[in-house]
Amino acid sequence: MLAITSLLNPQNAQRINGIIQSLEDEFGLDDVQATPDPHITYLLAGVSKHEPLKQVLEDIATTTVPFEAHTTGLGLFPGPNPVIYIPVLRSDELNRLHRRLLHATEPLCLRTDRFSQPELWLPHISLALHDTTPELLGPVLQYLNEQTFNLQLRISNLAILRQEGEQFIPEEVYPLEGEDE
């Protein structure tokens, strides 16, 4: 499986990595660090045609104007290992890019994650996953509640993240190069 994402700009990535490091220091939560580059995921896909996928993403990137996105609050995906995240507010630009990516990559994918579908997609930045427990949830949320998570993000790239051993690393990064009309 590959992840098609946008990596955060260095300033926002540094802030998110600082929060993630503090969760490791305070609570021992470090599984999210398997993806050391904070990002927004558009879709997870099993890809049958890797080189054509790269071309499609490059084409989309060259015709997409960079834009602003915003975050606020904290979110939680429940379960035996709850995921704690910062929600990214959906906007027309973000929805449009997501739809373009789904449509353009569909013929190249063996399968996509069901949560990548427009009606289920919830853009977010993960802070803790896989090693959280319901028992840790209260103390972690109390700790995070002392901070604010209102970020302005510059969406300026598309990236392919692929698994290498225990980590997901950027394989390709395509800058958004479209121009305002």
Side-chain angles (χ1 to χ4, degrees):
M1 291 286 268
L2 296 175
I4 299 174
T5 70
S6 284
L7 301 177
L8 300 189
N9 64 45
Q11 179 182 1
N12 285 323
Q14 182 177 9
R15 171 132 188 245
I16 296 302
N17 280 330
I19 295 167
I20 290 169
Q21 184 62 53
S22 74
L23 291 176
E24 180 180 4
D25 295 344
E26 293 290 323
F27 303 99
L29 301 175
D30 64 359
D31 274 11
V32 76
Q33 294 176 35
T35 308
D37 298 293
H39 61 279
I40 299 167
T41 300
Y42 300 105
L43 67 134
L44 298 173
V47 178
S48 61
K49 301 175 181 177
H50 205 75
E51 289 306 314
L53 174 69
K54 291 179 181 180
Q55 186 60 55
V56 162
L57 294 180
E58 185 175 357
D59 292 347
I60 291 173
T62 60
T63 59
T64 301
V65 177
F67 60 93
E68 303 299 318
H70 301 272
T71 69
T72 191
L74 286 171
L76 174 72
F77 295 130
N81 300 106
V83 175
I84 301 168
Y85 63 88
I86 300 171
V88 177
L89 301 175
R90 288 180 68 160
S91 64
D92 290 341
E93 294 91 351
L94 198 58
N95 287 334
R96 194 168 21 259
L97 178 56
H98 182 243
R99 281 191 309 272
R100 282 183 70 198
L101 288 166
L102 284 175
H103 178 73
T105 61
E106 184 178 23
L108 308 173
C109 295
L110 300 169
R111 68 186 190 290
T112 57
D113 176 75
R114 72 181 181 103
F115 293 109
S116 300
Q117 297 308 309
E119 63 278 1
L120 298 177
W121 181 58
L122 181 61
H124 64 278
I125 302 165
S126 296
L127 298 177
L129 65 136
H130 304 306
D131 57 352
T132 56
T133 64
E135 295 76 29
L136 271 177
L137 200 52
V140 170
L141 290 176
Q142 185 174 5
Y143 173 79
L144 290 172
N145 192 48
E146 297 172 11
Q147 304 177 50
T148 185
F149 299 98
N150 299 328
L151 302 173
Q152 181 172 326
L153 309 173
R154 181 83 172 150
I155 306 299
S156 61
N157 65 71
L158 293 175
I160 298 172
L161 299 182
R162 68 173 165 75
Q163 190 167 3
E164 188 171 291
E166 297 282 316
Q167 291 199 313
F168 281 85
I169 60 167
E171 179 177 311
E172 298 283 343
V173 179
Y174 305 96
L176 300 186
E177 299 175 332
E179 300 198 18
D180 288 322
E181 295 179 6

